[in-house]
Amino acid sequence: MDRLIVADHTEVIVGEGWPRPLLPPREDRRQVALLTQPEPTSRAIELAGLLREDGLRTEVIGLPDRDEAKTLEVAATVYQALAGSRLTAQDTIIGFGGGAVTDLAGFVAGTWMRGVEAVHFPTTFLAAIDAAIGGKTGVNIGGKNLVGLFWHPTRVVIDLNVLETLPPELVREGMAEAYKAGLVGDPALAALLSDDPEPDTREVVLRALLVKKRLVDLDPRDRGERAFLNFGHTIGHALEYASTLSHGESVALGMVAAARVSEMVAGFPDRRTVTSTIERLGLPTTVPGVDGARVRDLVGRDKKRDHSGTRMVLLKEIGDPFLTHVGPDEVEAGLSAIGL
Ligand code: GLY
């Protein structure tokens, strides 16, 4: 198994299957709450069984699907369940699922009893290389993740066997985030995803994790370099709001747009490579059928949140990102590159 430490706090374990012990060794833990999908999968039930065999009282709490899990109402029902089972400050909350589950589990862990241990078992590519790592947690209140806190898990367990058997749409979503990691921090990863039709899952995961680790270690509270991880997200988030596109598809489109803006602002020479790689990964590069006015409005609202203009991460070259403010002409060029 491969191990790396993120933000001096999180042990990320990557391997086939689960490590033993399952949780970081601690004498005083008696109980865990395992937060997972509405219908716990056989793997979640198996995990709960192993935790019980290890002597831990284990309550399995099903959450609504996807972003419906990320509300204060859902958090409140989980708090009630934790109160009912008397989960103490010495106990542990486990997030077993995709990014919405790990975001909500982290949020509840960071706020229950003013903060208890969180451990994540991500079951999607996207959660494994991005959402579960780096301590960002949150719920959606009229906007994505507007309420949240940084709460680093003590351990994240990435089971490559699970990632190998995901449905193709979840693999594509993960590949979008992996390609983003390559573009902002690892040209070899970007080239691997451009050139190799069947890249090795372990290599993609480890390389993407190393990019994330480097930026989170440099800037754990997202005040500077960590923003590079948002490449493709300014327009991507607006698209995600205005459409039924998934997060990965929206980020893929946002990266096509950001590559065009990078070309315009910084002479980025590889716009065509970015677009053709995203296409080859099975992700969209244009958005017929999305309400362009709504996307413009959402990008514009983003602008109001920063007095200097729309903040975007751009590329000088693959692996050389920078953060800047752009004007309406640049935003328009980005939107027109994706057919809006
Ligand atoms: N998902 C971007 C970050 O963790 O900063």
Side-chain angles (χ1 to χ4, degrees), residues 121-144:
F121 285 71
T123 59
T124 66
F125 225 113
L126 195 111
I129 62 173
D130 192 37
I133 314 284
K136 282 189 179 174
T137 77
V139 292
N140 302 331
I141 309 275
K144 242 178 128 65

Side-chain angles (χ1 to χ4, degrees), residues 128-176:
I129 62 173
D130 192 37
I133 314 284
K136 282 189 179 174
T137 77
V139 292
N140 302 331
I141 309 275
K144 242 178 128 65
N145 300 324
L146 291 187
V147 174
L149 75 164
F150 286 99
W151 193 254
H152 289 279
T154 55
R155 179 179 281 185
V156 176
V157 176
I158 300 176
D159 180 356
L160 294 168
N161 291 336
V162 170
L163 304 191
E164 299 275 14
T165 54
L166 287 173
E169 66 276 12
L170 289 183
V171 175
R172 287 196 291 269
E173 276 210 68
M175 287 299 166

Side-chain angles (χ1 to χ4, degrees), residues 130 136 212 226 229-230:
D130 192 37
K136 282 189 179 174
K212 179 127 198 186
R226 184 167 176 170
L229 293 167
N230 291 337

